[in-house]
Amino acid sequence: MGKYVRLRARLLACGEFAEDDFRIPEVAADTEITRAHCPGYLGRVVRGELDASEVRAIGFPWSDRMVERSRRSAGATLAAAREALTRGWSANLAGGTHHAHRDRGEGFCVFNDVAIAALVLLRDRSIERAVVVDCDVHQGNGTASIFRDDPRVFTLSFHGERNFPFRKEASDRDVAFADGAGDDEYLRALERHVPEVLDAHQPDVVFYLAGADPYEGDRLGRLKLTIDGLRARDRLVFDACRERGLPVAITMSGGYCPDVDAIVTIHTNTIREAVHSCRSVFAC
């Protein structure tokens, strides 16, 4: 979790942000979380009644602090999405918990923050359609499963073919890369698929999961993108959205490089690439 504190400090130090650009989010309410998750699952999480297999699937032990942080991260993505609709973009400096399914957590993900935010905006009639552009190196299986039968939300996932989760769900469009894929192959895929999806689905908002884990130094990534390549990835996504007048809500998603400074650099670059659109960043 140390990368989140360092990311905020790095952004402040770069001279492009002030203290009041960062806001502590409200926790997501039960009525918001249950747009994406079963009430029974939410209740087991809150009361600490997850069984041993559920805790193993999530990957870290239950605690009151875990519940608070998971609620607050979902609240941050919802707040960022609402802000993006009025200002063009906004970001949760954490989030991207895309392995959480409707009835269970998985892969260090308790609640699916992007799914919660999208479904609350749809409930409130703030949007009619959304696109999820998931550039974490691991497939967004939880998001794909939650929106499997919901044509209002299009899920687009760019991920490692042989990486976790080993039993993948079907996104609306999956773009899978072999181990060792680098900048050129990855960016060509984005240049093709992102504009196609945005033009076909015509969303009111884009949720962008800007994972740092496709980085060549990531211990879990298995791809070979450079820091410059990841920055070009961010720019490509933002340019495609800006050209179409689409607001973007950003989450940081995964990053498992032993060099935490490299992860912080990648995430900082993401925010700085988006800075021309607006100056509201949500941190938790």
Side-chain angles (χ1 to χ4, degrees), residues 17 58 99 111 134 198 207 210 221 232:
F17 299 95
I58 289 171
H99 298 310
F111 302 133
D134 191 334
L198 297 183
F207 290 91

Side-chain angles (χ1 to χ4, degrees), residues 209-271:
L209 282 71
D213 44 11
Y215 175 52
E216 60 188 349
D218 195 276
R219 64 185 176 86
L220 301 180
R222 304 175 74 161
L223 301 187
K224 296 295 180 183
L225 273 71
T226 65
I227 286 179
D228 286 343
L230 288 163
R231 189 164 193 166
R233 172 202 70 176
D234 297 335
R235 189 180 308 119
L236 190 155
V237 173
F238 296 143
D239 284 350
C241 293
R242 184 171 55 253
E243 289 164 6
R244 292 159 178 80
L246 300 176
V248 188
I250 307 162
T251 67
M252 297 296 95
S253 228
Y256 311 96
C257 181
D259 180 4
V260 178
D261 187 68
I263 304 174
V264 173
T265 296
I266 293 164
H267 288 326
T268 299
N269 288 345
T270 298
I271 301 302

Side-chain angles (χ1 to χ4, degrees), residues 106-160:
E106 183 178 292
F108 309 118
C109 302
V110 180
F111 302 133
N112 193 310
D113 60 313
V114 167
I116 291 166
L119 288 166
V120 170
L121 293 183
L122 288 163
R123 178 201 67 185
D124 295 346
R125 299 186 178 180
S126 300
I127 64 170
E128 294 182 358
R129 291 179 300 279
V131 164
V132 179
V133 178
D134 191 334
C135 289
D136 189 280
V137 80
H138 306 105
Q139 193 219 27
N141 58 333
T143 312
S145 68
I146 289 170
F147 292 116
R148 181 185 297 118
D149 300 315
D150 192 337
R152 301 172 299 175
V153 179
F154 191 102
T155 54
L156 169 61
S157 180
F158 297 90
H159 56 264

